[in-house]
Amino acid sequence: MEDKSSPERSPVMEQFIRQVDYIKLNGFPGGLCSDLAEITGATESLTVWNTRQDNGERVEPIREGKPRDELLIKVPFAGTNLTIRLLFYLQEPWMPPDMSFSDIHFLSSISIKDLEEQVPSLNNWNCSEDDIIAQLLHQLLQLYKKYQIEKLEDDDVLQFEYQSLLKTLKIGEGDIEISVNGAGHRASSLLVRLPLSLQDVPPVLVDANPGSATSLLQVTFQGNEGVFVPKLHLSPRVELLIGGANTLALPAVPPGTCLMDYVERVLELLEEKVRKSVLCFETRKQFIAQVLCLFGCAVIEYDAERFNKVVLLFDVKDFHFLTFIILGPLFPQQQAPKIVLQSLYHNSPREPYSKELTEQRYNPQWTPEEMVKNIKEVILANVSAFQQSSIRTS
Amino acid sequence: MSEVMAATSYANLILESVTRVQHMGVNIKKVSYTSEMSGEDGSSGRSSPSEAQEATEHLENVTIERHVPRINCPEHIILVVDVCKEEGNTPYKLADGTKFSALYMVKRALTLFLQNKHAIDIRHKFALVVLHESPIWLHDFTNNPKEIISELDDIDDALATSHCDLSLLFDLIAQQISLPSCSNPAVAPPPCVYRTILLYGRSQCLPQFLEGKGVFTHLIQSPHFFLDVLYMHEAPCDDNKCEGIFDILCGLDESGWSYVLEVSRNATKLHNHCGSLLAHPLQRPTQKDLRYTLGGGD
């Protein structure tokens, strides 16, 4: 990407780019979306910057910069993006960078006083600090957030919805990002962190992913009638429990839908999913316990953490065989336990001969005891056929 | 156990981590062996009623506690295969008349053991030791059963040696493994457990600890180390030492949690025992409590 004939980047720029890479990997401090949409090095996006037009006006850079002096950082905010352009004075490292933004009205709304009070990194610019870029971005983002909240005063409807969300969901200002549209272009949007708690979830169901358990609802408004389009974002820890965000069907949004009611419905939907996952886990646990109760003296091994599987050894008329009972993610409501018989004597050819017993009666309303009794009957009904075919096949 | 209790607390009761089990003493293994020897091949291995009753009357109840949670952590299994072939060694004879050497049958049975154990949980690992003059660590731990199976295929039997020194075997094992150290083993699940499965095949040579039992004792007192024995022997008679050897092997079970199994040239029973040995040491019942029979009117 880089022009091969241009001189190498200065070590200071290298350091800034490293910091940006670090933020890319480890999340953006203070933003609701910890995965950055895009962080770009200067040379890649310079063309993007120069050709972009905002509202028909040619965006004038403050100062002509060479590619190796600048960083363009695209930060996700409220379901949309804010691009921040930082232009460094590499020959005068004590000078803080010049800044410009994709939201041109933002820059004109900032006073010197605002910068002094709320973006202290600029006053105490120390380019050798390890996280100076992260600090600067964090402070700028907070300032941008304030600017957006002030804009809300011009939009009664949106202001009302913002306040209602805070009140109904009992969340703080740090849990919502809102982007109020300018005159005519770019729709308003907001991003709200739903107070979905995984507190009562058995740790074993989420421990595989140690990150945060975040659920974000993005809402983009269209027109003036209060019509909006929702989108759900879930962190991997939550998705591990209830499935991917794109597999969860959000309720439809007929015209006239109240935003607050809708958000509450989505939250209820997610809470229901969490409850269901936990219930499935408990049901599996009860099932395995019942198997152990009846067949504890024949147990070979069972999954003692997630209760997904139990393996038993049985003897029917001196014929010994293994039985695998496997509980899938849709057990019990939509899926019967999977029963596989496996040989101790015959390979076919590189693995022990095995057969899944697919024809079984099943009723998800049965108690664990009834399910286990049924499994015993199914096995007894199929053993002799299994024995015959294992001999034939080997 | 047919009482109906509140579902979750009932489940927890079954699954709770420490279990007290009544156990009739390790000599019950001896009782079942003796009665079986008189019953020859094909028997299901249960002791005759009078002998079992005798054992019950003469042995004291011994309580055995589990000291580790019943978690299916990965096992690191050390298969110790005795390759000594004694004079007068008889082959296995199948129902159709075909004959197979004892070592061949062991290889077959272990192949199925490895494949089945891997199918149960791919995290389990296997190492291979060959027992001859001195034990040789043939293959280090791997969770790919094919590697061990291929090593097994290449093993040949060898002339029997005059002695079998178990001290050397446990020295070797102690060098190759590092036992997990948990601050609270009764509660904390271990990262893995080690299980040695000794497949001893001699009928004339008594295995002994020629250099003391120090290392063995150290290993066996760890709650994360297990020893199982599969003794494959000729039909016991006055000319061989099967009974004495079996006594010694039973004596290796100091904790009460080992499986000590024996078979005499019965291929089906050999494979059945390998099936029993699939059981996870932290979750399986004691040998005395094994009940595999599945039947309507049992």
Side-chain angles (χ1 to χ4, degrees):
Chain A
M1 290 286 182
E2 199 162 333
D3 177 9
K4 292 213 164 69
S5 62
S6 65
E8 283 179 11
R9 284 193 286 245
S10 82
V12 176
M13 274 308 289
E14 286 290 351
Q15 214 204 1
F16 289 150
I17 290 170
R18 265 204 301 277
Q19 286 185 28
V20 160
D21 285 340
Y22 181 85
I23 296 172
K24 246 183 179 163
L25 278 178
N26 292 289
F28 185 81
L32 279 184
C33 257
S34 54
D35 301 310
L36 268 169
E38 212 173 286
I39 283 196
T40 49
T43 46
E44 260 177 60
S45 23
L46 200 55
T47 27
V48 176
W49 175 255
N50 281 340
T51 57
R52 187 181 337 163
Q53 314 222 353
D54 255 327
N55 210 17
E57 294 168 46
R58 179 97 169 81
V59 180
E60 293 295 330
I62 301 163
R63 163 169 70 89
E64 276 305 315
K66 304 186 190 80
R68 46 187 202 284
D69 294 355
E70 41 185 312
L71 278 181
L72 272 168
I73 303 169
K74 201 172 183 181
V75 177
F77 183 81
T80 172
N81 293 303
L82 173 71
T83 306
I84 305 173
R85 184 195 194 204
L86 299 173
L87 198 54
F88 299 96
Y89 288 89
L90 293 181
Q91 305 306 321
E92 291 113 357
W94 60 88
M95 292 284 291
D98 286 336
M99 302 178 300
S100 51
F101 305 91
S102 52
D103 185 343
I104 51 173
H105 299 293
F106 173 51
L107 191 60
S108 47
S109 75
I110 308 176
S111 68
I112 305 285
K113 188 159 175 279
D114 288 331
L115 285 180
E116 269 179 14
E117 285 175 2
Q118 292 171 51
V119 195
S121 313
L122 292 174
N123 296 336
N124 310 312
W125 183 254
N126 181 359
C127 61
S128 60
E129 258 185 69
D130 276 346
D131 60 348
I132 189 68
I133 301 289
Q135 281 182 43
L136 177 63
L137 290 179
H138 176 77
Q139 289 157 16
L140 287 173
L141 201 68
Q142 296 309 309
L143 194 61
Y144 187 66
K145 225 175 154 177
K146 272 208 177 87
Y147 157 74
Q148 290 289 352
I149 305 280
E150 277 160 24
K151 270 175 91 175
L152 264 185
E153 287 161 21
D154 298 329
D155 188 334
D156 287 337
V157 174
L158 207 54
Q159 163 90 288
F160 170 75
E161 309 220 290
Y162 175 75
Q163 295 294 346
S164 318
L165 277 176
L166 283 178
K167 207 164 114 190
T168 318
L169 296 179
K170 300 194 187 72
I171 55 180
E173 286 184 357
D175 294 320
I176 309 190
E177 285 174 359
I178 192 156
S179 171
V180 185
N181 63 349
H185 74 103
R186 200 166 75 175
S188 298
S189 62
L190 61 78
L191 190 66
V192 56
R193 177 164 32 220
L194 300 172
L196 180 72
S197 165
L198 297 192
Q199 209 169 281
D200 297 327
V201 174
V204 70
L205 293 179
V206 285
D207 274 352
N209 193 310
S212 70
T214 310
S215 324
L216 301 171
L217 184 65
Q218 174 187 319
V219 168
T220 311
F221 296 91
Q222 290 171 345
N224 300 323
E225 315 285 303
V227 172
F228 58 86
V229 175
K231 190 164 180 220
L232 189 63
H233 303 276
L234 299 173
S235 70
R237 192 171 167 97
V238 177
E239 291 192 318
L240 188 67
L241 186 65
I242 65 176
N246 53 4
T247 63
L248 295 165
L250 287 177
V253 189
T257 309
C258 165
L259 177 65
M260 210 172 61
D261 290 344
Y262 186 80
V263 174
E264 276 186 311
R265 268 175 73 195
V266 170
L267 183 59
E268 270 165 26
L269 175 76
L270 294 176
E271 284 170 345
E272 178 59 28
K273 286 253 164 203
V274 170
R275 262 195 301 274
K276 257 201 172 135
S277 286
V278 175
L279 185 63
C280 280
F281 170 78
E282 291 297 332
T283 310
R284 292 201 303 271
K285 196 178 186 187
Q286 288 163 28
F287 176 88
I288 298 289
Q290 187 61 35
V291 170
L292 294 181
C293 172
L294 209 57
F295 300 124
C297 298
V299 74
I300 293 295
E301 200 169 306
Y302 60 94
D303 180 345
E305 284 193 310
R306 287 180 182 72
F307 306 102
N308 283 329
K309 180 162 82 170
V310 56
V311 183
L312 306 158
L313 178 57
F314 288 128
D315 163 13
V316 173
K317 296 186 187 145
D318 291 331
F319 173 68
H320 287 62
F321 58 97
L322 288 176
T323 301
F324 289 67
I325 305 175
I326 299 154
L327 304 176
L330 299 175
F331 171 83
Q333 283 308 317
Q334 290 159 272
Q335 206 179 41
K338 181 169 156 181
I339 311 168
V340 179
L341 305 186
Q342 191 148 311
S343 176
L344 291 179
Y345 314 119
H346 300 106
N347 308 69
S348 68
R350 274 185 227 99
E351 280 163 359
Y353 176 75
S354 68
K355 186 157 191 284
E356 185 183 341
L357 304 182
T358 47
E359 286 180 34
Q360 47 162 317
R361 296 183 310 132
Y362 177 69
N363 184 343
Q365 308 304 324
W366 281 339
T367 62
E369 201 181 335
E370 286 167 323
M371 286 184 193
V372 175
K373 260 175 75 177
N374 178 61
I375 288 177
K376 178 178 169 180
E377 283 164 20
V378 170
I379 295 172
L380 285 171
N382 283 275
V383 160
S384 135
F386 173 72
Q387 185 175 4
Q388 298 307 316
S389 52
S390 68
I391 296 170
R392 266 202 303 274
T393 315
S394 75
Chain B
M1 292 207 80
S2 58
E3 306 111 325
V4 173
M5 297 161 71
T8 308
S9 55
Y10 175 60
N12 287 335
L13 193 74
I14 305 288
L15 298 164
E16 73 184 3
S17 55
V18 175
T19 315
R20 296 183 86 88
V21 174
Q22 289 294 109
H23 180 59
M24 301 297 275
V26 297
N27 286 332
I28 200 71
K29 295 186 179 76
K30 174 81 192 297
V31 173
S32 68
Y33 162 86
T34 313
S35 69
E36 201 181 289
M37 286 305 106
S38 41
E40 256 299 344
D41 53 321
S43 70
S44 55
R46 289 204 203 111
S47 45
S48 64
S50 58
E51 275 162 329
Q53 206 177 3
E54 217 180 271
T56 313
E57 281 163 19
H58 289 141
L59 296 170
E60 286 181 54
N61 284 354
V62 172
T63 306
I64 295 194
E65 286 180 25
R66 275 189 207 273
H67 292 290
V68 198
R70 295 172 72 176
I71 203 92
N72 57 318
C73 60
E75 284 192 68
H76 291 190
I77 298 175
I78 303 157
L79 295 167
V80 181
V81 181
D82 181 10
V83 296
C84 286
K85 185 172 178 177
E86 292 166 319
E87 247 189 71
N89 179 291
T90 61
Y92 283 74
K93 240 183 285 189
L94 299 189
D96 59 2
T98 47
K99 294 183 190 175
F100 296 100
S101 74
L103 186 61
Y104 174 84
M105 283 315 294
V106 167
K107 291 183 188 184
R108 278 268 319 146
L110 280 181
T111 299
L112 276 146
F113 169 85
L114 288 158
Q115 289 169 340
N116 273 317
K117 192 66 183 167
H118 184 72
I120 292 170
D121 191 332
I122 58 174
R123 297 172 305 164
H124 294 316
K125 287 187 172 175
F126 314 94
L128 184 61
V129 171
V130 152
L131 199 60
H132 185 231
E133 278 270 0
S134 46
I136 302 166
W137 190 268
L138 210 58
H139 200 295
D140 205 6
F141 290 107
T142 171
N143 69 340
N144 183 355
K146 292 194 178 98
E147 290 177 33
I148 304 288
I149 292 168
S150 129
E151 289 277 8
L152 275 172
D153 280 341
D154 291 339
I155 293 176
D156 282 323
D157 45 34
L159 271 179
T161 56
S162 55
H163 58 268
C164 172
D165 186 358
L166 293 176
S167 320
L168 292 179
L169 173 63
F170 290 102
D171 277 348
L172 176 64
I173 291 174
Q175 277 166 28
Q176 297 287 344
I177 69 176
S178 55
L179 290 169
S181 55
C182 292
S183 54
N184 192 356
V187 170
C192 70
V193 289
Y194 288 93
R195 180 155 63 113
T196 299
I197 304 180
L198 170 59
L199 297 112
Y200 193 71
R202 287 173 251 186
S203 305
Q204 300 288 358
C205 172
L206 297 161
Q208 299 161 292
F209 285 95
L210 292 175
E211 288 170 37
K213 282 178 86 170
V215 175
F216 171 74
T217 306
H218 169 75
L219 287 172
I220 217 79
Q221 57 77 42
S222 162
H224 307 124
F225 183 88
F226 297 87
L227 171 66
D228 291 333
V229 182
L230 176 53
Y231 180 35
M232 299 155 294
H233 54 86
E234 300 292 335
C237 64
D238 291 334
D239 287 338
N240 63 34
K241 306 195 177 101
C242 296
E243 254 191 72
I245 294 172
F246 189 65
D247 265 342
I248 293 173
L249 294 172
C250 284
L252 294 177
D253 176 18
E254 295 186 1
S255 64
W257 283 107
S258 299
Y259 282 10
V260 181
L261 305 161
E262 59 73 35
V263 61
S264 168
R265 306 301 182 250
N266 179 330
T268 305
K269 197 170 164 207
L270 173 64
H271 285 75
N272 292 346
H273 281 336
C274 286
S276 303
L277 289 170
L278 289 169
H280 197 294
L282 298 186
Q283 297 184 323
R284 66 191 190 187
T286 58
Q287 188 172 349
K288 163 70 177 64
D289 294 322
L290 290 174
R291 293 279 180 276
Y292 298 131
T293 309
L294 183 71
D298 215 48

